[in-house]
Amino acid sequence: MPTLEHNGFVDMFRENPALAPHFLEILFHLDLPPYATVAVVEASLDQLIPVEFCADLVLELRDGAGDLVLSIVLEVQRDIDRRKGYSWPVYVAVVRARKECSAVVLVVAPDAEVAAWAAQRIDLGLGLGTLQPLVLGPASVPEVTDQAEAEKETELAILSAVAHGNGPNGLAVVQIALAALGRFDHEHAAAYFQIVYNALREPMRRALEALIMERQTEGKATFPPFAEQLIERGRIEGKLEGMLEAKRDALLRLAARAGIALTADHRERIQACKDPATLDRWVDNALEAKDASDVLS
């Protein structure tokens, strides 16, 4: 199922198609054919075979005369999927056959392990032909730590924050990216902030939260206002979940002491409960219950 990160990155390239060839030039140092326009076209690559292939995005580069000079098939990849080793060559072959132009696969894979897998050459058979996916991941996306560069290349800074946010310079990379979100409208900026925040592991999240709260206390507005709101909401949700977990743990301990057998379904129902009042009632029930049905009534 598509996630916020998946859809956010697809929309990033859909709304600014020039990003794809720009990244091919500055990050992969490729000499692209001269082009005047970049446009998003259909992503469905339906063939005269009983399978429909659908890429995340297909971009076309045309020269000044309107002739198609290159197609870029864009894929956002969050997990390793061995099937892509067979479908990506199909994408390229279909575009080349239908459009009669060169085509490449550009994969957005911020996770290092996924990016390393995606960057492997795909053998088309007996070593007689290969496809080389171009991967936007930690190995190709630089750490953007200069504010002026982040203001100029904000999408690159966002990719950098997701790819390197948990590394040694993670806090600096994330801080630079978030401070540059002001060039976007509120909706897009909030979505990109959430994508970056979701990519951070717990220690870095806590460090970012502490930095934002510190800047807020000092009156130094280096982060968008919604960042503080989302962080505060996250803290409140974290405290609520901690309270719920304590109540669930108390319930399970009381049931165990009373010798009440709980099935997997009972335990799943308890863990899924997010209503404090319901958990309190179940805890009270457990003090006098004879079986699980009495507890969860």
Side-chain angles (χ1 to χ4, degrees):
M1 179 178 294
T3 62
L4 171 64
E5 178 183 300
H6 180 279
N7 291 339
F9 282 134
V10 172
D11 286 341
M12 176 187 288
F13 286 87
R14 177 183 288 113
E15 295 178 8
N16 188 358
L19 278 178
H22 176 60
F23 286 160
L24 292 183
E25 291 176 319
I26 69 169
L27 300 181
F28 298 98
H29 309 293
L30 296 176
D31 293 324
L32 303 188
Y35 64 94
T37 63
V38 187
V40 175
V41 295
E42 78 283 356
S44 179
L45 306 174
D46 195 13
Q47 290 298 287
L48 299 177
I49 52 177
V51 179
E52 182 182 82
F53 293 92
C54 190
D56 287 327
L57 209 63
V58 178
L59 306 161
E60 290 184 349
L61 280 62
R62 294 182 180 274
D63 62 19
D67 294 328
L68 184 58
V69 295
L70 179 68
S71 287
I72 301 172
V73 180
L74 181 83
E75 285 274 277
V76 175
Q77 201 67 32
R78 300 179 62 252
D79 302 296
I80 294 175
D81 181 356
R82 305 295 177 186
R83 177 64 184 165
K84 297 296 185 177
Y86 299 94
S87 60
W88 287 343
V90 173
Y91 295 168
V92 171
V94 169
V95 170
R96 292 182 72 248
R98 179 182 290 180
K99 305 294 185 177
E100 297 185 356
C101 71
S102 297
V104 296
V105 173
L106 179 61
V107 183
V108 181
D111 179 81
E113 183 179 359
V114 176
W117 158 77
Q120 297 178 70
R121 286 183 177 273
I122 299 172
D123 181 13
L124 302 181
L126 301 178
L128 299 176
T130 61
L131 172 69
Q132 177 62 71
L134 302 168
V135 181
L136 289 171
S140 59
V141 175
E143 292 185 349
V144 178
T145 56
D146 179 74
Q147 194 63 59
E149 182 182 4
E151 296 288 347
K152 181 181 178 182
E153 300 273 2
T154 309
E155 290 87 354
L156 180 61
I158 294 168
L159 285 170
S160 177
V162 176
H164 301 292
N166 293 300
N169 299 320
L171 190 58
V173 173
V174 170
Q175 181 180 350
I176 289 294
L178 298 185
L181 292 181
R183 57 164 285 203
F184 297 107
D185 60 50
H186 182 275
E187 181 180 354
H188 285 80
Y192 289 141
F193 173 85
Q194 195 69 63
I195 288 172
V196 172
Y197 184 76
N198 290 350
L200 299 179
R201 291 192 284 270
E202 196 63 22
M204 195 58 69
R205 284 190 181 186
R206 299 288 84 82
L208 176 62
E209 291 170 1
L211 178 62
I212 291 178
M213 292 302 104
E214 177 186 330
R215 295 297 173 83
Q216 183 184 41
T217 301
E218 295 175 351
K220 298 177 180 179
T222 56
F223 296 96
F226 62 78
E228 299 169 3
Q229 297 168 6
L230 289 172
I231 290 295
E232 186 60 30
R233 186 179 69 187
R235 286 187 168 188
I236 293 173
E237 291 174 351
K239 290 180 181 178
L240 174 60
E241 183 54 38
M243 178 186 67
L244 293 174
E245 191 58 37
K247 292 179 183 293
R248 296 184 192 113
D249 184 62
L251 175 59
L252 293 174
R253 288 176 180 273
L254 284 173
R257 289 179 181 177
I260 298 173
L262 297 175
T263 66
D265 287 343
H266 291 143
R267 292 179 179 276
E268 182 178 351
R269 184 179 174 190
I270 291 171
Q271 293 299 332
C273 181
K274 295 184 179 299
D275 179 39
T278 298
L279 288 171
D280 285 339
R281 185 177 76 250
W282 289 348
V283 167
D284 290 339
N285 291 346
L287 296 175
E288 301 179 357
K290 296 181 180 180
D291 55 34
S293 61
D294 291 336
V295 174
L296 304 183
S297 62

